[in-house]
DNA sequence: TCTGGGGTCCTAGGACCC
DNA sequence: TCTGGGGTCCTAGGACCC
Protein backbone atom coordinates (compact mmCIF):
# COMPACT_ATOMS: atom_id res chain seq x y z
CA UNK A 1 0.00 0.00 0.00
CA UNK A 2 1.37 3.38 -1.00
CA UNK A 3 1.54 6.48 1.12
CA UNK A 4 0.06 9.76 0.07
CA UNK A 5 1.17 12.91 1.83
CA UNK A 6 -0.16 16.39 1.18
CA UNK A 7 1.76 19.52 2.07
CA UNK A 8 -0.44 22.57 2.61
CA UNK A 9 1.73 25.68 2.37
CA UNK A 10 0.33 29.18 2.89
CA UNK A 11 1.40 31.59 0.18
CA UNK A 12 3.47 34.54 1.41
CA UNK A 13 1.84 33.89 4.76
CA UNK A 14 2.50 37.06 6.76
CA UNK A 15 1.67 39.29 3.81
CA UNK A 16 -1.51 37.28 3.20
CA UNK A 17 -2.52 37.80 6.85
CA UNK A 18 -2.14 41.56 6.50
CA UNK A 19 -4.22 41.49 3.33
CA UNK A 20 -7.12 39.65 4.95
CA UNK A 21 -7.75 42.68 7.15
CA UNK A 22 -6.75 45.31 4.62
CA UNK A 23 -8.00 44.38 1.15
CA UNK A 24 -6.57 47.60 -0.29
CA UNK A 25 -3.24 45.77 -0.15
CA UNK A 26 -4.40 43.27 -2.78
CA UNK A 27 -2.48 43.71 -6.01
CA UNK A 28 0.00 46.04 -4.30
CA UNK A 29 3.58 45.18 -3.38
CA UNK A 30 3.72 44.41 0.36
CA UNK A 31 6.52 43.27 2.69
CA UNK A 32 6.63 42.23 6.33
CA UNK A 33 9.72 42.86 8.46
CA UNK A 34 11.53 40.74 11.04
CA UNK A 35 11.80 41.79 14.65
CA UNK A 36 13.41 45.18 15.21
CA UNK A 37 12.18 46.08 11.70
CA UNK A 38 15.46 44.63 10.48
CA UNK A 39 14.99 42.30 7.52
CA UNK A 40 12.32 41.53 4.96
CA UNK A 41 10.88 38.11 5.82
CA UNK A 42 7.69 37.95 3.78
CA UNK A 43 7.01 39.41 0.33
CA UNK A 44 3.97 39.57 -1.89
CA UNK A 45 4.43 38.40 -5.48
CA UNK A 46 4.46 42.07 -6.55
CA UNK A 47 7.32 42.78 -4.12
CA UNK A 48 9.24 39.76 -5.43
CA UNK A 49 8.77 41.09 -8.95
CA UNK A 50 10.42 44.36 -7.87
CA UNK A 51 13.56 42.35 -7.14
CA UNK A 52 13.25 42.63 -3.35
CA UNK A 53 15.13 39.67 -1.91
CA UNK A 54 14.09 37.40 0.94
CA UNK A 55 15.99 38.22 4.11
CA UNK A 56 17.35 41.51 2.78
CA UNK A 57 17.90 44.21 5.41
CA UNK A 58 15.28 46.93 4.98
CA UNK A 59 17.83 49.71 4.74
CA UNK A 60 19.40 48.01 1.72
CA UNK A 61 16.03 47.66 -0.01
CA UNK A 62 14.91 51.23 0.76
CA UNK A 63 15.24 52.38 -2.83
CA UNK A 64 13.16 49.58 -4.31
CA UNK A 65 10.63 50.00 -1.51
CA UNK A 66 10.23 53.72 -2.16
CA UNK A 67 10.24 53.45 -5.95
CA UNK A 68 7.74 50.59 -5.97
CA UNK A 69 5.36 52.15 -3.45
CA UNK A 70 5.74 49.07 -1.27
CA UNK A 71 3.56 48.81 1.84
CA UNK A 72 5.79 47.93 4.82
CA UNK A 73 4.67 46.16 8.00
CA UNK A 74 6.47 45.20 11.21
CA UNK A 75 5.76 41.62 12.15
CA UNK A 76 2.59 41.06 14.16
CA UNK A 77 2.91 37.57 15.61
CA UNK A 78 -0.26 37.84 17.65
CA UNK A 79 -2.15 38.16 14.35
CA UNK A 80 -0.16 35.56 12.40
CA UNK A 81 -0.34 32.98 15.18
CA UNK A 82 -4.09 33.34 15.39
CA UNK A 83 -4.56 33.13 11.62
CA UNK A 84 -2.34 30.06 11.57
CA UNK A 85 -4.56 28.36 14.16
CA UNK A 86 -7.61 29.06 11.96
CA UNK A 87 -5.92 27.51 8.93
CA UNK A 88 -4.89 24.41 10.90
CA UNK A 89 -8.40 24.06 12.31
CA UNK A 90 -9.81 24.11 8.80
CA UNK A 91 -7.41 21.34 7.75
CA UNK A 92 -8.65 19.16 10.61
CA UNK A 93 -12.07 19.19 8.95
CA UNK A 94 -10.60 16.93 6.27
CA UNK A 95 -8.62 14.46 8.39
CA UNK A 96 -7.32 14.09 11.95
CA UNK A 97 -3.96 13.14 10.44
CA UNK A 98 -2.50 16.64 10.45
CA UNK A 99 1.09 17.45 11.35
CA UNK A 100 1.46 21.17 11.98
CA UNK A 101 4.95 21.58 10.61
CA UNK A 102 5.40 25.34 11.02
CA UNK A 103 3.34 28.48 11.41
CA UNK A 104 2.37 28.34 7.73
CA UNK A 105 2.69 24.67 6.71
CA UNK A 106 1.07 21.37 7.53
CA UNK A 107 1.46 17.80 6.29
CA UNK A 108 -1.65 15.65 5.89
CA UNK A 109 -1.68 11.88 5.55
CA UNK A 110 -4.09 11.11 2.72
CA UNK A 111 -3.16 7.43 2.38
CA UNK A 112 -6.76 6.46 3.01
CA UNK A 113 -7.99 8.41 0.00
CA UNK A 114 -8.54 6.74 -3.38
CA UNK A 115 -5.73 7.59 -5.75
CA UNK A 116 -8.17 8.88 -8.35
CA UNK A 117 -9.67 11.35 -5.84
CA UNK A 118 -6.45 12.92 -4.52
CA UNK A 119 -6.30 15.89 -6.88
CA UNK A 120 -9.92 16.79 -6.32
CA UNK A 121 -9.43 16.58 -2.55
CA UNK A 122 -6.45 18.91 -2.85
CA UNK A 123 -8.58 21.45 -4.70
CA UNK A 124 -11.32 21.23 -2.09
CA UNK A 125 -8.85 21.80 0.76
CA UNK A 126 -7.46 24.82 -0.99
CA UNK A 127 -10.89 26.31 -1.63
CA UNK A 128 -12.12 25.66 1.92
CA UNK A 129 -9.08 27.26 3.57
CA UNK A 130 -9.48 30.31 1.37
CA UNK A 131 -13.19 30.61 2.04
CA UNK A 132 -12.91 30.22 5.81
CA UNK A 133 -9.71 32.19 6.49
CA UNK A 134 -8.94 34.30 3.43
CA UNK A 135 -5.47 32.74 3.19
CA UNK A 136 -4.39 31.37 -0.22
CA UNK A 137 -2.45 28.10 -0.01
CA UNK A 138 -0.50 25.81 -2.32
CA UNK A 139 -1.09 22.08 -2.11
CA UNK A 140 1.47 19.44 -3.05
CA UNK A 141 0.57 15.75 -2.99
CA UNK A 142 3.03 12.87 -3.36
CA UNK A 143 4.21 9.57 -1.94
CA UNK A 144 6.77 11.05 0.48
CA UNK A 145 7.03 14.27 2.42
CA UNK A 146 10.05 15.40 0.43
CA UNK A 147 8.19 14.80 -2.85
CA UNK A 148 5.14 16.63 -1.45
CA UNK A 149 7.45 19.59 -0.83
CA UNK A 150 8.59 19.38 -4.44
CA UNK A 151 4.97 19.26 -5.58
CA UNK A 152 3.99 22.30 -3.50
CA UNK A 153 6.91 24.27 -4.87
CA UNK A 154 5.85 23.47 -8.42
CA UNK A 155 2.27 24.36 -7.50
CA UNK A 156 3.47 27.79 -6.45
CA UNK A 157 5.55 28.52 -9.49
CA UNK A 158 3.20 27.26 -12.17
CA UNK A 159 0.09 29.19 -13.19
CA UNK A 160 -1.30 26.14 -14.91
CA UNK A 161 -1.31 24.16 -11.65
CA UNK A 162 -3.83 26.56 -10.05
CA UNK A 163 -2.31 25.92 -6.65
CA UNK A 164 -2.52 22.12 -6.58
CA UNK A 165 0.03 19.60 -7.87
CA UNK A 166 -0.42 15.85 -7.40
CA UNK A 167 2.61 13.70 -8.18
CA UNK A 168 1.19 10.35 -7.08
CA UNK A 169 1.55 8.03 -10.08
CA UNK A 170 2.04 11.12 -12.21
CA UNK A 171 3.61 11.05 -15.69
CA UNK A 172 4.96 14.53 -14.87
CA UNK A 173 7.07 13.50 -11.88
CA UNK A 174 10.44 13.81 -13.63
CA UNK A 175 9.48 17.14 -15.15
CA UNK A 176 8.54 18.42 -11.69
CA UNK A 177 11.81 17.21 -10.13
CA UNK A 178 13.78 18.84 -12.89
CA UNK A 179 12.14 22.19 -12.19
CA UNK A 180 13.29 22.30 -8.57
CA UNK A 181 16.80 23.71 -8.18
CA UNK A 182 19.14 21.85 -5.86
CA UNK A 183 19.15 24.57 -3.19
CA UNK A 184 15.34 24.49 -3.12
CA UNK A 185 15.12 20.82 -2.17
CA UNK A 186 13.86 20.38 1.41
CA UNK A 187 16.88 19.65 3.62
CA UNK A 188 19.49 20.95 1.17
CA UNK A 189 20.89 24.20 2.54
CA UNK A 190 23.57 26.49 1.08
CA UNK A 191 26.46 24.23 2.10
CA UNK A 192 25.11 20.97 0.75
CA UNK A 193 23.94 22.76 -2.40
CA UNK A 194 27.49 23.99 -3.02
CA UNK A 195 28.95 20.52 -2.43
CA UNK A 196 26.44 18.93 -4.79
CA UNK A 197 26.91 21.54 -7.51
CA UNK A 198 30.66 20.91 -7.54
CA UNK A 199 29.70 17.31 -8.33
CA UNK A 200 27.42 18.36 -11.15
CA UNK A 201 24.13 17.96 -9.31
CA UNK A 202 21.93 20.97 -10.00
CA UNK A 203 18.31 19.93 -9.49
CA UNK A 204 16.08 17.44 -7.69
CA UNK A 205 16.01 15.03 -10.63
CA UNK A 206 19.80 14.77 -10.62
CA UNK A 207 19.84 14.50 -6.83
CA UNK A 208 17.51 11.50 -7.08
CA UNK A 209 20.16 9.67 -9.12
CA UNK A 210 23.03 10.34 -6.70
CA UNK A 211 24.57 7.26 -5.05
CA UNK A 212 22.96 7.25 -1.63
CA UNK A 213 26.01 5.75 0.13
CA UNK A 214 28.10 8.62 -1.17
CA UNK A 215 25.41 10.98 0.07
CA UNK A 216 25.45 9.27 3.45
CA UNK A 217 29.23 9.70 3.69
CA UNK A 218 29.16 13.40 2.77
CA UNK A 219 25.94 14.60 4.36
CA UNK A 220 25.07 12.01 7.04
CA UNK A 221 21.81 10.13 7.29
CA UNK A 222 19.79 13.31 6.82
CA UNK A 223 21.10 13.72 3.28
CA UNK A 224 20.74 10.06 2.47
CA UNK A 225 17.10 10.16 3.51
CA UNK A 226 16.45 12.99 1.08
CA UNK A 227 17.72 10.91 -1.84
CA UNK A 228 15.61 7.92 -0.78
CA UNK A 229 12.54 10.09 -0.31
CA UNK A 230 12.99 11.57 -3.80
CA UNK A 231 12.94 8.00 -5.12
CA UNK A 232 9.59 7.41 -3.44
CA UNK A 233 10.78 5.55 -0.34
CA UNK A 234 9.13 7.20 2.63
CA UNK A 235 11.65 7.75 5.46
CA UNK A 236 9.94 10.62 7.27
CA UNK A 237 6.64 9.61 8.87
CA UNK A 238 3.87 12.02 9.77
CA UNK A 239 4.53 13.25 13.32
CA UNK A 240 1.10 13.43 14.88
CA UNK A 241 2.22 14.18 18.41
CA UNK A 242 5.61 15.86 18.19
CA UNK A 243 8.00 14.94 21.01
CA UNK A 244 7.93 17.44 23.85
CA UNK A 245 9.96 20.57 23.44
CA UNK A 246 13.66 20.40 24.37
CA UNK A 247 14.57 24.04 24.65
CA UNK A 248 13.02 27.49 24.73
CA UNK A 249 14.70 30.78 23.87
CA UNK A 250 13.74 34.42 24.19
CA UNK A 251 16.19 36.85 22.65
CA UNK A 252 15.97 40.22 20.94
CA UNK A 253 18.18 42.72 19.24
CA UNK A 254 18.18 46.05 21.03
CA UNK A 255 16.61 49.05 19.31
CA UNK A 256 19.92 50.86 19.80
CA UNK A 257 23.40 49.96 21.01
CA UNK A 258 23.45 49.26 24.75
CA UNK A 259 26.53 49.71 26.91
CA UNK A 260 25.63 49.79 30.57
CA UNK A 261 25.28 46.84 32.89
CA UNK A 262 22.02 48.30 34.23
CA UNK A 263 20.37 48.21 30.83
CA UNK A 264 21.62 44.73 30.00
CA UNK A 265 20.19 43.57 33.34
CA UNK A 266 16.80 45.11 32.53
CA UNK A 267 16.67 43.50 29.12
CA UNK A 268 17.69 40.07 30.40
CA UNK A 269 15.12 40.34 33.21
CA UNK A 270 12.49 41.13 30.58
CA UNK A 271 13.42 38.22 28.33
CA UNK A 272 13.53 35.89 31.32
CA UNK A 273 10.02 36.99 32.27
CA UNK A 274 8.80 36.17 28.76
CA UNK A 275 10.61 32.83 28.79
CA UNK A 276 9.05 31.92 32.13
CA UNK A 277 5.59 32.82 30.80
CA UNK A 278 6.14 30.54 27.81
CA UNK A 279 7.31 27.75 30.11
CA UNK A 280 4.18 27.99 32.23
CA UNK A 281 1.85 28.19 29.26
CA UNK A 282 3.35 24.92 28.02
CA UNK A 283 3.23 23.47 31.53
CA UNK A 284 6.98 22.96 31.68
CA UNK A 285 9.76 23.75 34.10
CA UNK A 286 13.47 24.21 33.38
CA UNK A 287 16.53 22.70 35.02
CA UNK A 288 19.15 24.78 33.22
CA UNK A 289 19.31 28.39 32.11
CA UNK A 290 21.74 29.88 29.58
CA UNK A 291 22.30 33.63 29.30
CA UNK A 292 24.04 35.13 26.29
CA UNK A 293 25.14 38.57 25.23
CA UNK A 294 26.76 39.84 22.04
CA UNK A 295 27.91 42.90 20.11
CA UNK A 296 26.84 43.76 16.54
CA UNK A 297 28.79 41.50 14.20
CA UNK A 298 28.09 43.78 11.24
CA UNK A 299 29.79 46.76 12.84
CA UNK A 300 33.46 47.57 12.63
CA UNK A 301 33.81 47.87 16.39
CA UNK A 302 35.34 45.72 19.13
CA UNK A 303 33.49 42.39 19.19
CA UNK A 304 32.55 40.33 22.19
CA UNK A 305 30.16 37.44 22.67
CA UNK A 306 29.71 35.28 25.72
CA UNK A 307 27.32 32.90 27.33
CA UNK A 308 27.09 31.15 30.64
CA UNK A 309 25.24 28.08 31.81
CA UNK A 310 23.45 28.09 35.15
CA UNK A 311 22.20 24.82 36.61
CA UNK A 312 19.14 25.55 38.72
CA UNK A 313 18.78 24.01 42.17
CA UNK A 314 15.45 22.49 41.10
CA UNK A 315 13.29 22.52 38.00
CA UNK A 316 11.34 25.77 38.06
CA UNK A 317 9.07 28.10 36.12
CA UNK A 318 9.00 30.73 38.87
CA UNK A 319 9.83 34.10 37.35
CA UNK A 320 11.60 35.78 40.30
CA UNK A 321 13.83 32.75 40.79
CA UNK A 322 14.72 32.56 37.10
CA UNK A 323 15.41 36.29 36.98
CA UNK A 324 17.74 35.96 39.94
CA UNK A 325 19.82 33.26 38.26
CA UNK A 326 19.78 35.04 34.91
CA UNK A 327 21.08 38.25 36.46
CA UNK A 328 23.82 36.36 38.25
CA UNK A 329 24.75 35.04 34.81
CA UNK A 330 24.79 38.55 33.38
CA UNK A 331 27.20 39.68 36.09
CA UNK A 332 29.56 36.91 34.99
CA UNK A 333 29.63 37.64 31.29
CA UNK A 334 29.15 41.41 31.11
CA UNK A 335 32.23 43.44 30.15
CA UNK A 336 32.33 47.23 30.13
CA UNK A 337 33.44 49.07 27.02
CA UNK A 338 31.40 47.28 24.37
CA UNK A 339 28.32 48.28 22.42
CA UNK A 340 25.96 45.37 22.85
CA UNK A 341 23.38 44.54 20.22
CA UNK A 342 21.59 41.48 21.48
CA UNK A 343 20.99 39.38 24.55
CA UNK A 344 18.93 36.34 25.30
CA UNK A 345 17.95 33.54 27.61
CA UNK A 346 17.64 29.86 26.73
CA UNK A 347 15.99 27.33 29.01
CA UNK A 348 16.91 23.66 28.63
CA UNK A 349 16.35 20.30 30.28
CA UNK A 350 12.64 21.03 30.28
CA UNK A 351 10.39 18.76 32.29
CA UNK A 352 6.64 18.65 32.89
CA UNK A 353 5.86 21.26 35.57
CA UNK A 354 3.80 19.36 38.14
CA UNK A 355 4.10 17.77 40.60
CA UNK A 356 6.66 19.97 42.24
CA UNK A 357 9.72 18.03 43.33
CA UNK A 358 11.59 19.94 46.00
CA UNK A 359 15.28 19.64 46.59
CA UNK A 360 16.23 18.83 50.15
CA UNK A 361 17.37 22.29 51.14
CA UNK A 362 14.98 24.19 48.94
CA UNK A 363 14.22 27.51 50.60
CA UNK A 364 11.30 28.26 48.33
CA UNK A 365 7.71 27.32 49.04
CA UNK A 366 7.12 25.97 45.54
CA UNK A 367 3.41 25.47 45.89
CA UNK A 368 2.94 29.06 46.91
CA UNK A 369 5.22 30.23 44.09
CA UNK A 370 3.16 28.30 41.57
CA UNK A 371 -0.10 29.83 42.79
CA UNK A 372 1.41 33.30 42.64
CA UNK A 373 2.50 32.79 39.03
CA UNK A 374 -0.95 31.50 38.09
CA UNK A 375 -2.46 34.68 39.49
CA UNK A 376 0.01 36.93 37.71
CA UNK A 377 -0.54 35.09 34.39
CA UNK A 378 -4.30 35.35 34.77
CA UNK A 379 -4.19 39.09 35.46
CA UNK A 380 -1.86 39.70 32.53
CA UNK A 381 -4.06 37.60 30.28
CA UNK A 382 -7.16 39.56 31.24
CA UNK A 383 -5.75 43.06 31.56
CA UNK A 384 -3.05 42.91 28.90
CA UNK A 385 0.48 41.60 29.13
CA UNK A 386 2.86 43.62 31.30
CA UNK A 387 0.02 44.82 33.56
CA UNK A 388 1.91 43.17 36.39
CA UNK A 389 5.67 43.32 35.97
CA UNK A 390 8.81 42.64 37.90
CA UNK A 391 10.80 45.65 39.05
CA UNK A 392 14.01 44.23 37.56
CA UNK A 393 12.61 44.68 34.06
CA UNK A 394 12.87 48.46 34.39
CA UNK A 395 10.41 51.22 33.67
CA UNK A 396 11.43 53.00 30.52
CA UNK A 397 13.03 50.17 28.61
CA UNK A 398 14.63 52.52 26.11
CA UNK A 399 16.63 49.61 24.66
CA UNK A 400 13.44 48.02 23.35
CA UNK A 401 13.12 46.49 19.92
CA UNK A 402 11.71 48.75 17.23
CA UNK A 403 8.26 47.99 15.82
CA UNK A 404 7.32 51.04 13.83
CA UNK A 405 5.01 49.58 11.22
CA UNK A 406 2.88 47.14 13.14
CA UNK A 407 -0.70 46.58 12.06
CA UNK A 408 -3.42 46.23 14.73
CA UNK A 409 -3.77 42.89 16.48
CA UNK A 410 -7.13 42.49 14.76
CA UNK A 411 -8.09 39.12 16.16
CA UNK A 412 -6.51 38.90 19.61
CA UNK A 413 -6.88 42.34 21.20
CA UNK A 414 -10.23 44.00 21.94
CA UNK A 415 -8.85 47.51 21.53
CA UNK A 416 -7.57 46.69 18.07
CA UNK A 417 -10.52 44.92 16.47
CA UNK A 418 -11.23 45.77 12.87
CA UNK A 419 -13.88 48.50 12.78
CA UNK A 420 -16.12 49.45 9.93
CA UNK A 421 -14.65 52.37 8.01
CA UNK A 422 -16.56 55.62 8.30
CA UNK A 423 -18.00 56.48 4.92
CA UNK A 424 -16.32 59.55 3.43
CA UNK A 425 -18.17 62.73 4.43
CA UNK A 426 -20.49 63.98 1.75
CA UNK A 427 -19.66 67.44 0.48
C1' DT B 1 22.01 54.75 11.52
C1' DC B 2 19.71 50.70 9.82
C1' DT B 3 21.37 43.46 9.19
C1' DG B 4 15.40 38.51 13.09
C1' DG B 5 14.10 34.85 16.18
C1' DG B 6 13.28 30.18 17.52
C1' DG B 7 13.94 25.60 16.85
C1' DT B 8 15.94 20.40 15.65
C1' DC B 9 19.16 16.74 14.45
C1' DC B 10 23.71 14.57 13.61
C1' DT B 11 28.62 13.65 14.33
C1' DA B 12 33.20 13.72 16.17
C1' DG B 13 36.00 13.66 19.90
C1' DG B 14 37.22 13.71 24.73
C1' DA B 15 36.46 11.98 29.45
C1' DC B 16 35.62 8.28 32.01
C1' DC B 17 34.75 3.50 33.29
C1' DC B 18 35.47 -1.51 33.40
C1' DT C 1 60.60 0.35 17.03
C1' DC C 2 56.00 -2.97 20.12
C1' DT C 3 51.15 1.26 24.11
C1' DG C 4 43.52 -3.20 24.57
C1' DG C 5 38.98 -2.65 23.51
C1' DG C 6 34.52 -1.34 24.03
C1' DG C 7 30.81 1.09 26.10
C1' DT C 8 28.50 5.50 27.73
C1' DC C 9 27.98 10.23 28.43
C1' DC C 10 28.74 14.93 27.39
C1' DT C 11 29.83 18.90 24.56
C1' DA C 12 30.90 21.71 20.66
C1' DG C 13 30.21 22.58 16.15
C1' DG C 14 27.92 22.18 11.88
C1' DA C 15 23.99 21.75 9.16
C1' DC C 16 19.33 22.42 8.34
C1' DC C 17 14.29 24.21 8.88
C1' DC C 18 10.61 28.09 8.88
Amino acid sequence: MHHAFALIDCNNFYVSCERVFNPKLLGRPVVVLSNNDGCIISRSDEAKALGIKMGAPLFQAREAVAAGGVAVFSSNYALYGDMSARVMETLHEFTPEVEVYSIDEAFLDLSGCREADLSELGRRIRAQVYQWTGIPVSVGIAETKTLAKVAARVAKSSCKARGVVNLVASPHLEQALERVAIQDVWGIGPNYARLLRTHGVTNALELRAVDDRWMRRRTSVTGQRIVLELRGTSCLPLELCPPSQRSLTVSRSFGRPVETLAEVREAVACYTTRAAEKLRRRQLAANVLVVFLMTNRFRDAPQYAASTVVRLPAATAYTPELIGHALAGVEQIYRAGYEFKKAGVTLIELVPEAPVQSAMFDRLDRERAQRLMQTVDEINRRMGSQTLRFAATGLKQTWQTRLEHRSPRFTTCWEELLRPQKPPAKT
Side-chain angles (χ1 to χ4, degrees), chain A residues 16 39 61 100 114 167 171 180 183 208 219 246 255-256 264 312 331 342 368 387:
Chain A
S16 297
C39 297
V100 177
R114 276 177 38 206
L167 295 177
V180 175
Q183 70 274 10
R208 190 175 74 159
T219 66
R246 306 184 60 86
R256 57 168 175 77
V264 172
L312 306 166
E331 300 288 340
K342 181 176 179 176
R368 197 161 163 265
T387 300

Side-chain angles (χ1 to χ4, degrees), chain A residues 120-357:
Chain A
E120 175 56 23
L121 179 57
R123 287 189 287 270
R124 275 174 43 215
I125 291 172
R126 186 178 136 82
Q128 190 75 271
V129 171
Y130 188 72
Q131 192 190 343
W132 286 4
T133 69
I135 301 290
V137 300
S138 301
V139 178
I141 304 172
E143 283 165 34
T144 68
K145 282 179 161 183
T146 307
L147 286 170
K149 277 273 195 181
V150 166
R153 178 164 279 277
V154 173
K156 254 179 217 201
S157 65
S158 143
C159 305
K160 219 178 90 195
R162 303 180 87 39
V164 180
V165 165
N166 174 13
L167 295 177
V168 175
S170 163
H172 304 116
L173 175 59
E174 300 206 346
Q175 240 175 293
L177 288 168
E178 201 170 10
R179 285 182 54 169
V180 175
I182 190 68
Q183 70 274 10
D184 295 333
V185 175
W186 190 38
I188 303 294
N191 278 293
Y192 291 166
R194 190 163 10 93
L195 170 73
L196 286 159
R197 266 190 241 105
T198 63
H199 287 80
V201 179
T202 63
N203 61 40
L205 184 63
E206 289 165 356
L207 179 57
R208 190 175 74 159
V210 165
D211 179 78
D212 59 274
R213 285 156 311 176
W214 179 86
M215 198 64 183
R216 156 97 218 209
R217 218 166 43 243
R218 304 302 297 267
T219 66
S220 89
V221 291
T222 8
Q224 185 182 30
R225 274 189 212 128
I226 296 168
V227 173
L228 296 176
E229 284 241 322
L230 287 176
R231 292 179 191 156
T233 305
S234 181
C235 307
L236 305 168
L238 198 77
E239 307 258 1
L240 277 180
C241 28
S244 71
Q245 194 174 11
R246 306 184 60 86
S247 74
L248 185 164
T249 302
V250 174
S251 73
R252 293 281 179 282
S253 295
F254 304 130
R256 57 168 175 77
V258 159
E259 290 183 60
T260 68
L261 174 60
E263 288 177 305
V264 172
R265 287 173 55 101
E266 269 183 29
V268 167
C270 252
Y271 303 159
T272 308
T273 306
R274 290 280 304 119
E277 285 167 6
K278 283 191 190 179
L279 263 185
R280 295 193 294 270
R281 196 172 324 135
R282 296 166 202 187
Q283 301 185 24
L284 296 169
N287 277 297
V288 174
L289 179 153
V290 183
V291 189
F292 57 91
L293 179 61
M294 60 190 74
T295 49
N296 188 344
R297 68 182 197 280
F298 295 103
R299 292 264 303 248
D300 186 19
Q303 297 287 313
Y304 173 74
S307 68
T308 183
V309 179
V310 184
R311 176 157 285 279
L312 306 166
T316 182
Y318 184 47
T319 301
E321 190 185 17
L322 287 164
I323 288 180
H325 291 291
L327 293 184
V330 169
E331 300 288 340
Q332 271 185 44
I333 58 177
Y334 174 83
R335 299 284 179 276
Y338 291 98
E339 293 194 338
F340 292 107
K341 179 59 179 170
K342 181 176 179 176
V345 176
T346 297
L347 301 170
I348 48 181
E349 288 188 28
L350 308 184
V351 294
E353 81 183 329
V356 186
Q357 177 91 46

Side-chain angles (χ1 to χ4, degrees), chain A residues 91-113:
Chain A
L91 297 179
H92 276 96
E93 295 280 317
F94 291 89
T95 169
E97 312 268 293
V98 177
E99 175 188 340
V100 177
Y101 176 68
S102 73
I103 194 166
D104 67 339
E105 282 171 80
F107 286 103
L108 272 52
D109 189 338
L110 302 183
S111 303
C113 182

